[in-house]
Amino acid sequence: MKKYILILAVLISFECYAQQKPQYTQYIFNQYLLNPALSGIENYIDFKAGYRQQWSGINEAPQTSFVSAHWALGDNQLWSNALTDFPEQSGNPMDRNYMQNYMSSPAHHGMGITAVLDKTGPLSRLDANLTYAYHIQLSNSFNLSAGVAAGLSRISLDVNALTFDQPNDPAVSSAFVNQLKPDLSVGLWLYGARVFAGLSVQQILPQKLSFTNDNTYNLGKEVPHFFATAGYKFFLDEDIAAIPSIMVKYVQPSPISIDLNMKVAFKDRIWLGGSYRKDDSFSAMAGFNIGKMVNLTYSYDFTTSDLNQVSNGSHEIVLGLLLNNIYKVPSYIRMW
């Protein structure tokens, strides 16, 4: 009798396919999703909302929706330095004058919130976290921040989407449909006018995952996700800048994943980008800023793994808002 086969398959997917957190292409423009140390890195409210369709063309493939927002704490948020103090007439906080006169921001606190809904077949996962970071001033040129994210994960199984040999199979009535688990992440972020580097760990609390009372099938577990990233900005001419970056990800027992990224921006108002994820995909990205408040980005992943025979690639779109943007910054200063 096969009464547990599909539930077992779900459990095995947690154990063997180790990446349990969603995958993003545009994390280079919202590193906050992967590293809580970016909380309050700017003195405006950075809000983003996005949607990702993974492996389009495959039924029940992963779909991810998210919202995030973070901001600096305290009445001293409008600090008077190069973080926001640039020539108003230039309209471009990332021009050469800004770089030459850059000063690191004073020590400050930041906080934020994230909510991520990820759905794959009969499984769905909702992560809701509150984040906090403290930014110290290492020198006139560099800051270092440390952050933590804490919250809850709700993991749900839609038993109505499962098919059993017996319509009234006991597996349905005994299945754990919803589970709540604590969630904790930590991170570090080093940043200056042109360079950034970060380390973070998500899902660091060990948790068992089970959808049945039968100990034979209690094999599922959550595993930590490790991220290391770095990048540098240089100018091709007065109006065009290029930002190469790299991210290394490790989730046991999967092989180490390496992303190579490049963004080319024109006055930080219009930009094009590309990314290569080893043994997985090539990605093309584009975006633009609308006035001083809104930006919109889109990416498409060309699958290079064996899934390219059945997948039409992956789509991702992100809307960003710069709220309480008193200095009228036209683009993200620190979001490379």
Side-chain angles (χ1 to χ4, degrees):
M1 187 168 63
K2 303 177 182 178
K3 64 181 181 180
Y4 284 112
I5 285 181
L6 288 178
I7 290 183
L8 177 59
V10 168
L11 291 171
I12 290 175
S13 73
F14 272 102
E15 184 180 50
C16 297
Y17 182 66
Q19 180 174 316
Q20 298 157 346
K21 292 285 190 175
Q23 180 168 280
Y24 307 98
T25 296
Q26 298 186 49
Y27 64 86
I28 54 176
F29 309 113
N30 193 13
Q31 297 271 7
Y32 172 61
L33 279 177
L34 304 181
N35 194 330
L38 278 86
S39 305
I41 197 170
E42 294 291 0
N43 54 14
Y44 49 75
I45 300 173
D46 179 9
F47 172 87
K48 284 192 175 69
Y51 172 77
R52 178 177 178 84
Q53 172 66 64
Q54 183 91 1
W55 303 324
S56 177
I58 299 179
N59 290 335
E60 305 297 338
Q63 299 180 53
T64 306
S65 303
F66 71 85
V67 293
S68 68
H70 62 95
W71 55 91
L73 291 174
D75 297 332
N76 194 34
Q77 65 172 346
L78 301 179
W79 45 79
S80 178
N81 62 27
L83 184 62
T84 50
D85 186 11
F86 58 91
E88 189 71 26
Q89 64 272 19
S90 73
N92 181 13
M94 297 302 281
D95 62 15
R96 287 183 183 272
N97 289 332
Y98 176 89
M99 295 295 180
Q100 293 169 357
N101 300 320
Y102 178 89
M103 288 185 62
S104 57
S105 65
H108 63 280
H109 306 266
M111 70 172 296
I113 54 173
T114 63
V116 180
L117 176 62
D118 191 49
K119 188 177 188 303
T120 304
L123 277 177
S124 64
R125 175 177 182 142
L126 176 63
D127 296 319
N129 282 275
L130 181 67
T131 71
Y132 166 81
Y134 182 66
H135 302 251
I136 62 174
Q137 191 175 25
L138 291 180
S139 67
N140 288 335
S141 301
F142 288 98
N143 287 94
L144 176 66
S145 61
V148 60
L152 290 173
S153 297
R154 188 194 71 183
I155 303 168
S156 302
L157 174 67
D158 182 5
V159 294
N160 294 322
L162 301 176
T163 302
F164 296 87
D165 289 345
Q166 301 177 14
N168 299 317
D169 197 293
V172 177
S173 59
S174 64
F176 301 150
V177 176
N178 292 296
Q179 303 178 50
L180 281 178
K181 305 287 184 180
D183 196 16
L184 184 67
S185 305
V186 296
L188 295 172
W189 194 258
L190 174 71
Y191 58 98
R194 295 195 181 198
V195 65
F196 68 91
L199 295 171
S200 63
V201 186
Q202 291 187 334
Q203 201 168 265
I204 63 178
L205 298 177
Q207 297 290 324
K208 291 184 177 180
L209 291 173
S210 175
F211 293 93
T212 175
N213 286 315
D214 193 329
N215 291 328
T216 305
Y217 304 105
N218 291 344
L219 304 177
K221 63 179 180 180
E222 293 186 340
V223 294
H225 293 45
F226 298 87
F227 302 90
T229 186
Y232 183 80
K233 179 168 187 170
F234 61 91
F235 285 90
L236 302 179
D237 66 15
E238 291 293 335
D239 295 325
I240 301 176
I243 305 97
S245 65
I246 184 173
M247 184 179 76
V248 179
K249 177 173 63 177
Y250 177 62
V251 185
Q252 189 181 15
S254 297
I256 292 176
S257 173
I258 300 176
D259 290 14
L260 300 176
N261 312 297
M262 174 65 77
K263 169 187 171 184
V264 178
F266 177 73
K267 291 186 175 180
D268 274 354
R269 296 180 182 273
I270 301 174
W271 55 264
L272 298 173
S275 179
Y276 169 67
R277 180 173 294 122
K278 186 177 181 295
D279 299 327
D280 183 67
S281 65
F282 287 96
S283 303
M285 297 173 275
F288 57 92
N289 298 305
I290 306 171
K292 311 291 186 180
M293 181 178 175
V294 181
N295 60 75
L296 186 66
T297 61
Y298 170 78
S299 65
Y300 177 77
D301 296 4
F302 301 86
T303 306
T304 58
S305 66
D306 292 341
L307 283 172
N308 62 9
Q309 300 179 25
V310 290
S311 168
N312 297 324
S314 303
H315 304 269
E316 189 174 315
I317 187 168
V318 180
L319 173 68
L321 300 176
L322 285 66
L323 304 176
N324 196 30
N325 188 6
I326 296 176
Y327 283 90
K328 308 300 182 184
V329 179
S331 62
Y332 291 97
I333 299 176
R334 305 210 186 271
M335 295 302 161
W336 293 273

